[in-house]
Amino acid sequence: MSLHEQLYQWTARQGLDATRARRLRALSGVDDPPAEVWPALRRGTGALAAGLIGFGVILWVAANWDELGRGLRFGLLEALLAVSAIGAAARPAWRAPLSLLALLTLGGLLAYFGQTYQTGADPWQLFALWAALALPLVWAARSDLAWAPWTVVAATGISLWMHTFGGHAWHFTATTVPVHAIGFVAFGLLCVGMALRPGGDAQPWSWRVAVLLAVIAISGTALGGLFSRDVAPQYPLGLGVMAVGLVLAWRRAEVYALSALALAVDTLLVAGLARVVIEQWKVDIGGLLLLGLAACGLLAASVSLIMRRVCASGVHA
């Protein structure tokens, strides 16, 4: 629970007026300048430096691609990976940015290996191997600077797996329901893993990235099933998964998850109503007005319920 949320919750519970609320805010020091600017600035500078170094190496290799032999290319990537990994282990102050550099270099090395030897592997296998090999690295780094991009890699691998085993296309039929159901479970496990990782309470960003990517993937699949020729089972399946996630987030009062899931459920419900309106009543002023009123009503109800939940209990954002 952040200090801002604690102040809002305490003000609501105690019924403080504006003057007392301002006094409480002043005593809390929430508006005071940050006491530790330098560590945050150093972490940000380190992350920027790691990204620029990795990007610079990629540009240098691309510019000298024809002049570099295969052995030199592999040697350069492997040397950068080794130096960044050893530096991350030897220098705790630079562990997070160097782990990020090692993570990015590992992905480039795997991609170049697959391009050079034409292994015939599917794209999802590259991302799955990348995530698996980098897991010990980001676990040791214990920083969201490494966990957040790793989450993107893992989520991309899950999406590509669904695409591959769904017939190398986004088919929304009864035959592809098992594939999408397994993908939904994998996204759920990714969210749970990010919530339980070391240091997750102090650094919530990788968990938030996992929740956001899971919501986008599941709701996008559900919308694809809705707007197929006939409504595919992916639509009720995705809506049900979102509803279960919404209930779990409600019980834990997770504001971020509540907001993302509520928006996804509202979107799916309004889209389902839109299909009914288009098929039954066609598109006219009355149908558009009905859709607008339904969207506004769902959004207002969602915001009201979330705010009520926040005021009624502790918040874990």
Side-chain angles (χ1 to χ4, degrees):
M1 190 190 315
S2 68
L3 183 55
H4 286 87
E5 292 163 345
Q6 292 178 4
L7 289 175
Y8 289 137
Q9 182 180 359
W10 183 261
T11 301
R13 285 182 176 180
Q14 300 300 321
L16 302 181
D17 56 21
T19 302
R20 293 182 178 179
R22 286 194 297 268
R23 178 60 178 167
L24 176 63
R25 186 178 183 89
L27 292 174
S28 69
V30 69
D31 296 322
D32 295 343
E36 298 182 354
V37 177
W38 172 244
L41 182 61
R42 185 173 57 184
R43 287 194 296 268
T45 304
L48 180 61
L52 290 176
I53 291 173
F55 187 56
V57 170
I58 293 173
L59 292 181
W60 185 81
V61 172
N64 299 276
W65 189 258
D66 295 332
E67 288 76 16
L68 296 176
R70 178 183 301 176
L72 186 57
R73 297 169 189 168
F74 274 115
L76 177 63
L77 292 172
E78 291 169 356
L80 181 60
L81 176 60
V83 169
S84 57
I86 294 174
R91 294 293 301 273
W94 292 92
R95 181 165 296 160
L98 288 176
S99 298
L100 172 61
L101 179 58
L103 173 66
L104 299 177
T105 305
L106 176 61
L109 180 60
L110 293 174
Y112 180 62
F113 182 88
Q115 184 184 37
T116 302
Y117 294 104
Q118 297 296 322
T119 58
D122 291 318
W124 74 269
Q125 294 175 314
L126 166 64
F127 285 90
L129 182 61
W130 186 3
L133 293 178
L135 183 57
L137 176 69
V138 297
W139 188 280
R142 295 177 180 267
S143 171
D144 267 9
L145 191 60
W147 275 116
W150 183 90
T151 302
V152 175
V153 172
T156 303
I158 297 172
S159 298
L160 291 175
W161 181 87
M162 290 194 296
H163 179 270
T164 300
F165 286 89
H168 293 278
W170 293 107
H171 294 304
F172 304 101
T173 60
T175 57
T176 59
V177 168
V179 173
H180 292 137
I182 295 174
F184 293 172
V185 172
F187 273 111
L189 292 176
L190 179 63
C191 294
V192 173
M194 290 301 98
L196 298 178
R197 77 193 188 285
D201 293 337
Q203 304 180 58
W205 286 105
S206 56
W207 175 79
R208 291 176 177 177
V209 170
V211 171
L212 178 62
L213 294 177
V215 168
I216 292 175
I218 296 174
S219 58
T221 303
L223 287 175
L226 174 64
F227 291 108
S228 299
R229 182 181 298 274
D230 297 319
V231 178
Q234 280 82 353
Y235 176 67
L237 176 63
L239 189 58
V241 171
M242 292 288 99
V244 171
L246 194 59
V247 171
L248 295 176
W250 177 272
R251 294 182 62 182
R252 293 182 56 84
E254 296 281 359
V255 178
Y256 182 87
L258 271 174
S259 303
L261 289 165
L263 180 60
V265 171
D266 290 349
T267 302
L268 291 176
L269 291 176
V270 172
L273 179 61
R275 170 144 189 167
V276 172
V277 170
I278 293 173
E279 290 181 347
Q280 301 296 328
W281 302 328
K282 299 182 180 179
V283 180
D284 54 13
I285 298 299
L288 294 176
L289 179 61
L290 176 62
L291 288 177
L293 292 175
C296 292
L298 284 173
L299 183 60
S302 300
V303 173
S304 177
L305 289 174
I306 292 174
M307 293 300 297
R308 188 174 302 175
R309 180 62 174 141
V310 169
C311 294
S313 64
V315 179
H316 302 278

mmCIF file of all heavy atoms in Angstrom, residues 41-65:
data_model
loop_
_atom_site.group_PDB
_atom_site.id
_atom_site.type_symbol
_atom_site.label_atom_id
_atom_site.label_comp_id
_atom_site.label_asym_id
_atom_site.label_seq_id
_atom_site.Cartn_x
_atom_site.Cartn_y
_atom_site.Cartn_z
ATOM 1 N N LEU A 41 18.608 7.858 -9.386
ATOM 2 C CA LEU A 41 19.255 8.389 -10.580
ATOM 3 C C LEU A 41 20.340 7.448 -11.073
ATOM 4 O O LEU A 41 20.497 7.259 -12.288
ATOM 5 C CB LEU A 41 19.842 9.766 -10.263
ATOM 6 C CG LEU A 41 20.529 10.497 -11.423
ATOM 7 C CD1 LEU A 41 19.538 10.759 -12.543
ATOM 8 C CD2 LEU A 41 21.142 11.801 -10.926
ATOM 9 N N ARG A 42 21.064 6.844 -10.152
ATOM 10 C CA ARG A 42 22.118 5.912 -10.545
ATOM 11 C C ARG A 42 21.532 4.673 -11.211
ATOM 12 O O ARG A 42 22.064 4.174 -12.209
ATOM 13 C CB ARG A 42 22.944 5.517 -9.318
ATOM 14 C CG ARG A 42 24.153 4.645 -9.636
ATOM 15 C CD ARG A 42 25.012 4.443 -8.420
ATOM 16 N NE ARG A 42 24.256 3.849 -7.312
ATOM 17 C CZ ARG A 42 24.763 3.648 -6.103
ATOM 18 N NH1 ARG A 42 25.995 4.037 -5.823
ATOM 19 N NH2 ARG A 42 24.024 3.100 -5.162
ATOM 20 N N ARG A 43 20.419 4.161 -10.670
ATOM 21 C CA ARG A 43 19.785 2.998 -11.294
ATOM 22 C C ARG A 43 19.271 3.339 -12.689
ATOM 23 O O ARG A 43 19.429 2.544 -13.633
ATOM 24 C CB ARG A 43 18.634 2.500 -10.408
ATOM 25 C CG ARG A 43 19.086 1.791 -9.152
ATOM 26 C CD ARG A 43 17.924 1.043 -8.514
ATOM 27 N NE ARG A 43 16.882 1.968 -8.077
ATOM 28 C CZ ARG A 43 16.821 2.496 -6.859
ATOM 29 N NH1 ARG A 43 17.750 2.182 -5.958
ATOM 30 N NH2 ARG A 43 15.845 3.311 -6.521
ATOM 31 N N GLY A 44 18.650 4.515 -12.824
ATOM 32 C CA GLY A 44 18.164 4.908 -14.140
ATOM 33 C C GLY A 44 19.282 5.096 -15.146
ATOM 34 O O GLY A 44 19.176 4.685 -16.307
ATOM 35 N N THR A 45 20.382 5.721 -14.691
ATOM 36 C CA THR A 45 21.527 5.910 -15.582
ATOM 37 C C THR A 45 22.135 4.575 -15.979
ATOM 38 O O THR A 45 22.535 4.371 -17.136
ATOM 39 C CB THR A 45 22.582 6.793 -14.896
ATOM 40 O OG1 THR A 45 21.986 8.026 -14.497
ATOM 41 C CG2 THR A 45 23.738 7.081 -15.828
ATOM 42 N N GLY A 46 22.209 3.653 -15.022
ATOM 43 C CA GLY A 46 22.741 2.330 -15.336
ATOM 44 C C GLY A 46 21.879 1.586 -16.348
ATOM 45 O O GLY A 46 22.394 0.932 -17.266
ATOM 46 N N ALA A 47 20.552 1.689 -16.191
ATOM 47 C CA ALA A 47 19.656 1.041 -17.150
ATOM 48 C C ALA A 47 19.813 1.642 -18.538
ATOM 49 O O ALA A 47 19.863 0.923 -19.549
ATOM 50 C CB ALA A 47 18.210 1.177 -16.681
ATOM 51 N N LEU A 48 19.914 2.975 -18.597
ATOM 52 C CA LEU A 48 20.101 3.635 -19.892
ATOM 53 C C LEU A 48 21.433 3.240 -20.516
ATOM 54 O O LEU A 48 21.517 2.986 -21.726
ATOM 55 C CB LEU A 48 20.025 5.145 -19.701
ATOM 56 C CG LEU A 48 20.209 6.005 -20.957
ATOM 57 C CD1 LEU A 48 19.124 5.699 -21.985
ATOM 58 C CD2 LEU A 48 20.193 7.491 -20.593
ATOM 59 N N ALA A 49 22.483 3.173 -19.691
ATOM 60 C CA ALA A 49 23.795 2.787 -20.212
ATOM 61 C C ALA A 49 23.783 1.362 -20.750
ATOM 62 O O ALA A 49 24.337 1.078 -21.823
ATOM 63 C CB ALA A 49 24.845 2.934 -19.113
ATOM 64 N N ALA A 50 23.143 0.451 -20.023
ATOM 65 C CA ALA A 50 23.071 -0.940 -20.482
ATOM 66 C C ALA A 50 22.324 -1.047 -21.802
ATOM 67 O O ALA A 50 22.753 -1.755 -22.723
ATOM 68 C CB ALA A 50 22.391 -1.802 -19.414
ATOM 69 N N GLY A 51 21.214 -0.325 -21.912
ATOM 70 C CA GLY A 51 20.455 -0.351 -23.164
ATOM 71 C C GLY A 51 21.236 0.233 -24.321
ATOM 72 O O GLY A 51 21.226 -0.304 -25.442
ATOM 73 N N LEU A 52 21.936 1.343 -24.079
ATOM 74 C CA LEU A 52 22.708 1.971 -25.146
ATOM 75 C C LEU A 52 23.886 1.102 -25.579
ATOM 76 O O LEU A 52 24.212 1.034 -26.768
ATOM 77 C CB LEU A 52 23.201 3.346 -24.687
ATOM 78 C CG LEU A 52 22.130 4.432 -24.535
ATOM 79 C CD1 LEU A 52 22.745 5.710 -23.986
ATOM 80 C CD2 LEU A 52 21.435 4.698 -25.866
ATOM 81 N N ILE A 53 24.531 0.442 -24.618
ATOM 82 C CA ILE A 53 25.643 -0.442 -24.975
ATOM 83 C C ILE A 53 25.145 -1.601 -25.840
ATOM 84 O O ILE A 53 25.734 -1.934 -26.874
ATOM 85 C CB ILE A 53 26.334 -0.963 -23.700
ATOM 86 C CG1 ILE A 53 27.080 0.180 -22.999
ATOM 87 C CG2 ILE A 53 27.317 -2.077 -24.048
ATOM 88 C CD1 ILE A 53 27.640 -0.212 -21.650
ATOM 89 N N GLY A 54 24.052 -2.221 -25.398
ATOM 90 C CA GLY A 54 23.505 -3.319 -26.195
ATOM 91 C C GLY A 54 23.070 -2.880 -27.580
ATOM 92 O O GLY A 54 23.345 -3.554 -28.585
ATOM 93 N N PHE A 55 22.421 -1.727 -27.654
ATOM 94 C CA PHE A 55 21.988 -1.207 -28.948
ATOM 95 C C PHE A 55 23.184 -0.845 -29.822
ATOM 96 O O PHE A 55 23.186 -1.075 -31.032
ATOM 97 C CB PHE A 55 21.099 0.014 -28.726
ATOM 98 C CG PHE A 55 20.452 0.540 -29.980
ATOM 99 C CD1 PHE A 55 19.678 -0.280 -30.779
ATOM 100 C CD2 PHE A 55 20.624 1.864 -30.357
ATOM 101 C CE1 PHE A 55 19.081 0.204 -31.927
ATOM 102 C CE2 PHE A 55 20.040 2.361 -31.505
ATOM 103 C CZ PHE A 55 19.262 1.528 -32.295
ATOM 104 N N GLY A 56 24.224 -0.285 -29.195
ATOM 105 C CA GLY A 56 25.418 0.059 -29.952
ATOM 106 C C GLY A 56 26.104 -1.164 -30.525
ATOM 107 O O GLY A 56 26.593 -1.139 -31.667
ATOM 108 N N VAL A 57 26.172 -2.241 -29.751
ATOM 109 C CA VAL A 57 26.775 -3.474 -30.264
ATOM 110 C C VAL A 57 25.984 -4.014 -31.443
ATOM 111 O O VAL A 57 26.544 -4.460 -32.455
ATOM 112 C CB VAL A 57 26.868 -4.513 -29.134
ATOM 113 C CG1 VAL A 57 27.272 -5.880 -29.694
ATOM 114 C CG2 VAL A 57 27.856 -4.062 -28.077
ATOM 115 N N ILE A 58 24.663 -3.971 -31.333
ATOM 116 C CA ILE A 58 23.820 -4.457 -32.440
ATOM 117 C C ILE A 58 24.073 -3.632 -33.707
ATOM 118 O O ILE A 58 24.231 -4.176 -34.811
ATOM 119 C CB ILE A 58 22.338 -4.393 -32.035
ATOM 120 C CG1 ILE A 58 22.057 -5.397 -30.916
ATOM 121 C CG2 ILE A 58 21.438 -4.675 -33.231
ATOM 122 C CD1 ILE A 58 20.666 -5.293 -30.346
ATOM 123 N N LEU A 59 24.135 -2.310 -33.560
ATOM 124 C CA LEU A 59 24.380 -1.460 -34.719
ATOM 125 C C LEU A 59 25.773 -1.697 -35.298
ATOM 126 O O LEU A 59 25.962 -1.699 -36.525
ATOM 127 C CB LEU A 59 24.213 0.008 -34.326
ATOM 128 C CG LEU A 59 22.799 0.468 -33.972
ATOM 129 C CD1 LEU A 59 22.799 1.949 -33.628
ATOM 130 C CD2 LEU A 59 21.824 0.198 -35.105
ATOM 131 N N TRP A 60 26.767 -1.896 -34.422
ATOM 132 C CA TRP A 60 28.128 -2.120 -34.908
ATOM 133 C C TRP A 60 28.223 -3.435 -35.677
ATOM 134 O O TRP A 60 28.853 -3.513 -36.733
ATOM 135 C CB TRP A 60 29.090 -2.131 -33.723
ATOM 136 C CG TRP A 60 30.526 -2.238 -34.148
ATOM 137 C CD1 TRP A 60 31.333 -1.235 -34.591
ATOM 138 C CD2 TRP A 60 31.310 -3.424 -34.165
ATOM 139 N NE1 TRP A 60 32.573 -1.720 -34.886
ATOM 140 C CE2 TRP A 60 32.596 -3.070 -34.635
ATOM 141 C CE3 TRP A 60 31.072 -4.761 -33.836
ATOM 142 C CZ2 TRP A 60 33.623 -3.992 -34.776
ATOM 143 C CZ3 TRP A 60 32.091 -5.673 -33.977
ATOM 144 C CH2 TRP A 60 33.342 -5.300 -34.437
ATOM 145 N N VAL A 61 27.589 -4.480 -35.146
ATOM 146 C CA VAL A 61 27.594 -5.765 -35.854
ATOM 147 C C VAL A 61 26.870 -5.646 -37.187
ATOM 148 O O VAL A 61 27.314 -6.169 -38.210
ATOM 149 C CB VAL A 61 26.950 -6.853 -34.974
ATOM 150 C CG1 VAL A 61 26.762 -8.135 -35.755
ATOM 151 C CG2 VAL A 61 27.799 -7.100 -33.733
ATOM 152 N N ALA A 62 25.732 -4.928 -37.189
ATOM 153 C CA ALA A 62 24.983 -4.770 -38.440
ATOM 154 C C ALA A 62 25.779 -3.984 -39.472
ATOM 155 O O ALA A 62 25.758 -4.302 -40.680
ATOM 156 C CB ALA A 62 23.652 -4.072 -38.153
ATOM 157 N N ALA A 63 26.507 -2.944 -39.030
ATOM 158 C CA ALA A 63 27.270 -2.130 -39.965
ATOM 159 C C ALA A 63 28.464 -2.882 -40.544
ATOM 160 O O ALA A 63 28.896 -2.601 -41.670
ATOM 161 C CB ALA A 63 27.736 -0.848 -39.278
ATOM 162 N N ASN A 64 29.020 -3.820 -39.785
ATOM 163 C CA ASN A 64 30.203 -4.559 -40.240
ATOM 164 C C ASN A 64 29.882 -6.026 -40.512
ATOM 165 O O ASN A 64 30.765 -6.887 -40.426
ATOM 166 C CB ASN A 64 31.304 -4.465 -39.181
ATOM 167 C CG ASN A 64 31.755 -3.038 -38.929
ATOM 168 O OD1 ASN A 64 32.594 -2.498 -39.637
ATOM 169 N ND2 ASN A 64 31.167 -2.416 -37.906
ATOM 170 N N TRP A 65 28.623 -6.286 -40.847
ATOM 171 C CA TRP A 65 28.173 -7.673 -41.019
ATOM 172 C C TRP A 65 28.971 -8.411 -42.085
ATOM 173 O O TRP A 65 29.363 -9.559 -41.908
ATOM 174 C CB TRP A 65 26.697 -7.674 -41.374
ATOM 175 C CG TRP A 65 26.071 -9.043 -41.355
ATOM 176 C CD1 TRP A 65 25.778 -9.837 -42.408
ATOM 177 C CD2 TRP A 65 25.663 -9.765 -40.202
ATOM 178 N NE1 TRP A 65 25.214 -11.006 -42.001
ATOM 179 C CE2 TRP A 65 25.128 -10.992 -40.636
ATOM 180 C CE3 TRP A 65 25.704 -9.499 -38.836
ATOM 181 C CZ2 TRP A 65 24.631 -11.948 -39.764
ATOM 182 C CZ3 TRP A 65 25.210 -10.446 -37.972
ATOM 183 C CH2 TRP A 65 24.683 -11.654 -38.436
#
